[in-house]
Amino acid sequence: MTDWIGETFTSDAGWDHLESLVDVGDRMAGSEGERAGLELTRDALADAGARDARIEEFEIQGWTRGDSEIRRGDEVLAAGGNACIALPRSPSDEATGEFVDLGYGVPEDFERDLTGAVVMVSSDTPDSVDRFIHRREKYYHAVEAGAAAFVFANHVEGTLPPTGSVGTEDAPIGEIPAVGVSKETGARLARRYEGEEVTVAVDCETPDATSGNVVADVGPDTDEYVVVSSHVDAHDLAEGAMDNGAGTATVVEIATALAAREGDLDTRVRFVGFGAEEVGLVGSGRFAEAVDPDRVKAVVNVDSNVFGRTLRLDHHGFDALEAAGERVSERFDHPIALAGAQVPHSDHWSFVQRGIPGYMVSGETAGRGRGWGHTGADTIDKLESRTLREQAILLTALVVDLAGDDVSTERRPTDDIAAALEREGKATGMKITGDWPF
């Protein structure tokens, strides 16, 4: 039966949910907006036909933005708005030191005396480096080097300061004040104030807070299940349309399609909308710790997908997942980008690091980094309902394939996962940021 394909391509369920999420506004982890997003997602999954839709709550370290600025003496060089913003989980503090522009901020850039310095790095990674260097890795290189404060400069034009959390699971609040500045502000600071003494000041609050995971099921009540997930929270600067309203909307669309064809499923499908992803994969970490790994057949985690029209499946070297992606691509005669490297970011990683087969599902885009993601420009007008529907069709077919009795998946020893991270040059950074789980 292929009627579901046409129904999905004309469905408004996913797009309507995306509009509902972005209209909430601030969905920062632990906020009232995140709670509203979780409730909307719970209700959307129930409306789609999923059963036992619920929110499973957990406590987190909250963080609420206040004012931030960079100044020289009494002269304010950058403050608020499109100039300077605090990075989530920065401590409420201020620090003064020599301003040092480290360019890209690759590891070797920190191999100098930075004691007491205010260091600035770019959000980009040069093509000469064979892996993407995450913001948190750069932050903790600065901490290890003795820097007094951290400035994260966007590489995307448009006066857009970037956000993104610092801190670790064991120490949720970072060690030195951290701010994001736009590309233009960063260029001006580097040109005019290199070597001068500047102060970075961050004002914020760190209350206790509550987040949660949305959970619902479709299909037969089997012990084994396929997890289809996304994260509901978003940073507080914008709508969070691409990251990750689009992923959650796609999950709702998949649930709508699968609930209408439950008879095609041999294995239960568990839909999960994670909370608190943007502050350290907290929701997925709590969920993954509680599961029996032998009962999770595969994880299909959707994050930041609709902005790029070609679906990308990072399968982390799980042969069964690669083969399933190839089958769907061939069946629909539709391009799907497949890659086997380890992607230790987003909620799939809470499972993959335990050896559970998992995809990171995204949209293929040109260049590195998030583009407009993690800025005030992550808005719904940049996305297309056509792309959401196309990707929902492909992913629905992928989930049905994985749920089939004739498809088996095997866990990988965690030693293999660790060795892959070492080969790919990612282990050092993960150890610095406190994300090394082995």
Side-chain angles (χ1 to χ4, degrees):
M1 297 290 291
T2 57
D3 291 348
W4 69 272
I5 296 176
E7 291 170 358
T8 302
F9 200 72
T10 56
S11 171
D12 291 324
W15 192 261
D16 286 349
H17 188 58
L18 175 58
E19 290 185 335
S20 296
L21 288 176
V22 301
D23 287 344
V24 168
D26 176 0
R27 303 196 307 279
M28 190 72 183
S31 69
E32 292 181 2
E34 185 198 42
R35 179 68 189 198
L38 294 171
E39 292 177 352
L40 285 167
T41 302
R42 176 200 60 198
D43 296 345
L45 289 172
D47 291 344
R51 63 182 181 273
D52 195 21
R54 61 197 184 276
I55 298 172
E56 298 178 350
E57 295 182 347
F58 55 86
E59 301 306 307
I60 64 166
Q61 172 67 68
W63 188 89
T64 304
R65 183 186 308 282
D67 296 329
S68 60
E69 66 181 15
I70 303 173
R71 62 179 185 267
R72 181 182 61 175
D74 295 330
E75 177 190 6
V76 176
L77 309 180
N82 62 356
C84 176
I85 60 171
L87 297 186
R89 301 290 184 91
S90 167
S92 187
D93 198 1
E94 67 176 56
T96 301
E98 178 187 352
F99 183 75
V100 179
D101 176 20
L102 293 181
Y104 287 111
V106 298
E108 52 265 34
D109 292 332
F110 293 90
E111 295 175 357
R112 53 186 289 188
D113 184 10
L114 296 171
T115 304
V118 173
V119 299
M120 183 173 74
V121 302
S122 170
S123 61
D124 201 5
T125 302
D127 292 337
S128 58
V129 177
D130 60 2
R131 66 181 179 91
F132 176 71
I133 302 176
H134 195 269
R135 166 195 69 258
R136 290 179 64 244
E137 180 178 345
K138 297 180 182 185
Y139 177 81
Y140 279 101
H141 277 303
V143 170
E144 280 204 345
F150 180 79
V151 180
F152 190 54
N154 205 347
H155 70 282
V156 178
E157 297 175 350
T159 64
L160 298 168
T163 190
S165 67
V166 297
T168 68
E169 183 176 358
D170 294 332
I173 302 302
E175 298 183 38
I176 60 176
V179 297
V181 300
S182 68
K183 178 178 181 179
E184 294 80 2
T185 298
R188 174 170 54 81
L189 291 172
R191 179 174 61 85
R192 297 181 61 181
Y193 302 105
E194 176 80 21
E196 296 199 27
E197 189 172 88
V198 303
T199 298
V200 172
V202 171
D203 178 41
C204 62
E205 296 181 358
T206 55
D208 294 335
T210 301
S211 183
N213 295 325
V214 178
V215 184
D217 290 337
V218 165
D221 192 18
T222 55
D223 287 339
E224 190 177 46
Y225 53 92
V226 175
V227 172
V228 178
S229 64
S230 65
H231 71 87
V232 178
D233 64 310
H235 282 292
D236 58 343
L237 297 181
E239 301 172 355
M242 176 187 73
D243 185 13
N244 185 37
T248 302
T250 303
V251 166
V252 167
E253 198 67 78
I254 297 168
T256 302
L258 290 181
R261 57 184 300 220
E262 283 191 293
D264 293 341
L265 293 170
D266 295 328
T267 306
R268 177 163 46 125
V269 176
R270 172 153 289 179
F271 294 95
V272 189
F274 293 117
E277 187 268 356
E278 295 287 9
V279 292
L281 315 185
V282 181
S284 60
R286 302 287 178 87
F287 187 90
E289 286 174 0
V291 303
D292 178 349
D294 293 327
R295 293 179 59 188
V296 182
K297 190 174 187 182
V299 175
V300 181
N301 180 59
V302 191
D303 191 345
S304 304
N305 54 313
V306 175
F307 184 63
R309 190 175 183 188
T310 297
L311 201 63
R312 178 184 174 93
L313 303 179
D314 288 285
H315 54 76
H316 304 93
F318 289 95
D319 293 339
L321 301 191
E322 181 180 20
E326 289 173 346
R327 287 193 296 271
V328 170
S329 181
E330 291 171 3
R331 173 185 170 189
F332 287 88
D333 191 24
H334 198 92
I336 295 178
L338 293 161
Q342 308 306 295
V343 184
H345 310 293
S346 194
D347 291 311
H348 63 280
W349 189 249
S350 297
F351 300 87
V352 172
Q353 69 182 9
R354 292 171 167 82
I356 299 171
Y359 293 107
M360 163 64 172
V361 180
S362 59
E364 189 168 59
T365 56
R368 288 173 165 172
R370 293 181 174 85
W372 282 307
H374 283 205
T375 75
D378 182 5
T379 52
I380 194 172
D381 55 281
K382 300 178 179 67
L383 308 180
E384 294 185 342
S385 59
R386 171 190 65 178
T387 303
L388 190 155
R389 291 165 175 155
E390 287 178 355
Q391 293 182 354
I393 289 168
L394 296 172
L395 291 172
T396 299
L398 179 69
V399 173
V400 173
D401 183 292
L402 290 169
D405 284 341
D406 58 339
V407 174
S408 61
T409 60
E410 294 184 3
R411 295 184 63 204
R412 288 175 63 193
T414 55
D415 286 350
D416 287 357
I417 304 293
L421 291 166
E422 295 279 7
R423 288 194 305 273
E424 295 167 17
K426 296 167 183 171
T428 300
M430 293 178 69
K431 292 172 184 177
I432 287 172
T433 59
D435 294 326
W436 185 252
F438 305 108

